[in-house]
Amino acid sequence: SSDHKYLLTGSKDGTIILWDTAGALIRTFDNHAVVNSVAFSPDNQTILTASADNSAKLWSLDGALLVTYGTHTGWVKSAAFSPDGQYVLTGSWDNTAKIWTVGGREITTLCGHWEKVEAIAFSPDGQYVATGGYDFTAKIWDVSFNLKQMQSRHSSSVNTVTISPDGQHLL
């Protein structure tokens, strides 16, 4: 967590474990299939998980399931919060990424990858998202207009993406 109080792990066995930074187990969450991604909200009050059950889920730190983001038709490989914590981004093996309100309303589907979407990221200002996939491409999308702004080609799948803290570079 950004306040350095907690650690979060996700496992192939479907469990998510919240730890304190001394290594003590605080809580186990177990309402998922294979867990592919975990993230703390910017305010450290909720956690987001992505799973092979074709969904992402929002949880309170006390273990309550708050929201299921569940309209993907393939494994959800990655999930992230927007910098302001108001939106969720998911990337799926159904070849799409989706932007949701944190409350669970689907805002848009980003279509443009012809293979599995493996990686996603928000820009620090929340105005752009990056996606990477098995189609050997990384893409930048303008959230306001849902337009693809840039595409890079690789010789193999793109497994992770990030945008630099100044928002000027895609890695």
Side-chain angles (χ1 to χ4, degrees):
S1 58
S2 63
D3 61 6
H4 308 287
K5 291 182 181 179
Y6 304 108
L7 300 169
L8 193 58
T9 58
S11 174
K12 189 175 183 178
D13 69 6
T15 61
I16 303 109
I17 300 177
L18 181 66
W19 309 84
D20 70 19
T21 51
L25 187 148
I26 296 172
R27 182 161 294 101
T28 299
F29 307 79
D30 61 358
N31 189 6
H32 254 320
V34 172
V35 178
N36 297 312
S37 174
V38 296
F40 283 97
S41 61
D43 67 3
N44 299 310
Q45 298 302 303
T46 56
I47 62 170
L48 182 63
T49 58
S51 174
D53 62 13
N54 302 352
S55 75
K57 295 183 179 185
L58 181 70
W59 309 81
S60 66
L61 291 184
D62 67 5
L65 177 60
L66 303 173
V67 177
T68 298
Y69 309 93
T71 62
H72 282 290
T73 59
W75 284 24
V76 178
K77 286 296 288 185
S78 49
F81 286 98
S82 62
D84 65 5
Q86 299 301 305
Y87 299 94
V88 166
L89 175 65
T90 55
S92 173
W93 279 8
D94 65 6
N95 307 347
T96 69
K98 293 179 184 261
I99 300 174
W100 315 76
T101 65
V102 75
R105 185 173 57 87
E106 187 177 321
I107 300 293
T108 192
T109 299
L110 303 174
C111 299
H113 286 278
W114 53 268
E115 256 296 349
K116 300 171 183 172
V117 174
E118 183 77 6
I120 50 91
F122 272 100
S123 65
D125 64 5
Q127 295 303 303
Y128 297 91
V129 297
T131 57
Y134 277 40
D135 59 359
F136 306 165
T137 65
K139 301 176 189 296
I140 296 274
W141 307 79
D142 181 317
V143 174
S144 301
F145 303 104
N146 192 23
L147 299 173
K148 182 175 55 176
Q149 297 295 309
M150 187 281 301
Q151 175 175 299
S152 69
R153 189 102 175 120
H154 294 268
S155 60
S156 190
S157 63
V158 177
N159 298 319
T160 188
V161 293
T162 192
I163 299 174
S164 63
D166 66 3
Q168 299 300 306
H169 304 282
L170 170 67
L171 304 173

